[in-house]
Amino acid sequence: MQLFETLLYTVDQQIATITLNRPEVRNSLNQKLRLELREAVNRASADDNVRAVVLAASGAGFCAGADLTERLPGSDQDGFVTRVLNEEYNPLILAIKKSPKPFVCAINGAAAGVGASLALACDLIVMAEDAYLYSAFGAISLIPDGGAHKLLLDQLGSKRTYEMIALSQKLSATHCVELGLANRVVPAEGLVNQAIQFATQVSAAAPLTLQYSKQILREAQSYDLESVMALEAEIQNRLFRSKDFREGATAFFEKRKPEFEGC
């Protein structure tokens, strides 16, 4: 186990599990947790022994958002919030989005504020029956951040996203699945195990397929159709020449399970 102060980090059977561990404050993100979480994400992304990552949380809630009780040096200065978002929160969200590994988020209780952005940055989401996404910013006269406008817009469209923001809506786990924001709902007591099983199932797929399809899906959100087609063609040519493709094709004709190496 990698030692951190504000989170737990383990690797088992090629699945890294990162667990937010400030349950006494519903895992709200103080500076220490923000920086350690980014370090853990980067560590898992760079580890060749990790095929998928589960992001979970201890206690009664996934993440209550920013720790509003925290007072950092310079917090009374103009531009402080912009700096913290650009230097700490946003790089964390982007580290998950740009990771070559699939991230599965296990949401228990509330994923609120920037905690919702953290969850939505993951590739797949499993939610406990009592879990929900909460756009809490309007309740304190702020706007969503951490890329929430974009993360929600791509899935919900502008009208539903604006309604969620304006009314500070809570979206239940079932509603999130119906809207395509989450993949499945499970009993709360089995949440993390279900997420690990999901991650294990996904990680059994071809590593190059997982890596490059994640990249294309990310970039397709800002590309037109022709640009996506060109990117697919370029990457497909690269994969066609890979060792894994040769192994996959050989295994197909030999009617056996392929042994992929990610190269």
Side-chain angles (χ1 to χ4, degrees):
M1 179 182 292
Q2 176 66 38
L3 295 179
F4 292 94
E5 292 182 23
T6 60
L7 59 84
L8 306 176
Y9 183 95
T10 60
V11 178
D12 184 45
Q13 301 294 313
Q14 296 187 302
I15 305 298
T17 302
I18 302 171
T19 305
L20 310 183
N21 195 33
R22 299 185 73 217
E24 69 281 0
V25 289
R26 302 292 178 111
N27 300 302
S28 60
L29 295 164
N30 64 357
Q31 185 178 59
K32 188 68 173 179
L33 179 52
R34 295 193 294 271
L35 297 179
E36 288 195 336
L37 183 52
R38 184 180 174 190
E39 179 184 347
V41 168
N42 289 336
R43 183 181 297 272
S45 296
D47 189 345
D48 292 336
N49 293 318
V50 171
R51 296 283 298 273
V53 184
V54 171
L55 180 61
S58 59
F62 175 73
C63 180
D67 187 345
L68 298 180
T69 67
E70 183 180 45
R71 290 292 179 267
L72 296 174
S75 58
D76 58 342
Q77 297 175 2
D78 187 33
F80 169 79
V81 172
T82 300
R83 180 180 63 77
V84 172
L85 284 170
N86 286 335
E87 294 181 2
E88 296 180 15
Y89 285 99
N90 295 344
L92 168 59
I93 300 297
L94 290 173
I96 295 173
K97 292 292 289 184
K98 293 184 177 181
S99 171
K101 312 291 174 67
F103 273 68
V104 179
C105 186
I107 303 179
N108 57 311
V114 75
S117 298
L118 186 64
L120 291 169
C122 294
D123 306 289
L124 302 163
I125 295 178
V126 180
M127 300 182 72
E129 292 171 331
D130 61 349
Y132 57 94
L133 294 179
Y134 180 27
S135 179
F137 292 93
I140 54 175
S141 192
L142 293 175
I143 59 169
D145 51 31
H149 288 84
K150 175 67 173 172
L151 293 168
L152 290 168
L153 177 66
D154 289 336
Q155 187 60 51
L156 300 181
S158 62
K159 290 180 174 60
R160 279 181 169 169
T161 298
Y162 192 62
E163 178 184 5
M164 183 178 179
I165 294 169
L167 301 182
S168 297
Q169 287 183 332
K170 297 179 181 179
L171 298 183
S172 69
T174 301
H175 199 187
C176 285
V177 170
E178 291 172 350
L179 293 171
L181 291 171
N183 297 85
R184 53 190 65 175
V185 181
V186 301
E189 60 271 17
L191 172 65
V192 176
N193 286 336
Q194 287 289 328
I196 291 174
Q197 289 180 23
F198 194 12
T200 301
Q201 181 182 6
V202 170
S203 71
L208 295 178
T209 299
L210 294 174
Q211 176 182 343
Y212 286 107
S213 285
K214 176 172 178 173
Q215 175 189 336
I216 293 170
L217 287 170
R218 182 179 70 245
E219 297 184 15
Q221 294 173 345
S222 57
Y223 284 7
D224 58 26
L225 179 59
E226 289 81 1
S227 298
V228 173
M229 289 176 170
L231 180 59
E232 289 172 339
E234 175 189 346
I235 291 178
Q236 193 75 301
N237 180 68
R238 191 183 314 166
L239 298 185
F240 188 78
R241 300 175 184 277
S242 70
K243 181 179 179 180
D244 274 6
F245 170 68
R246 292 193 297 273
E247 163 63 12
T250 300
F252 175 79
F253 288 111
E254 294 178 354
K255 294 181 170 53
R256 61 174 174 82
K257 185 177 180 179
E259 298 180 3
F260 295 124
E261 300 179 18
C263 58

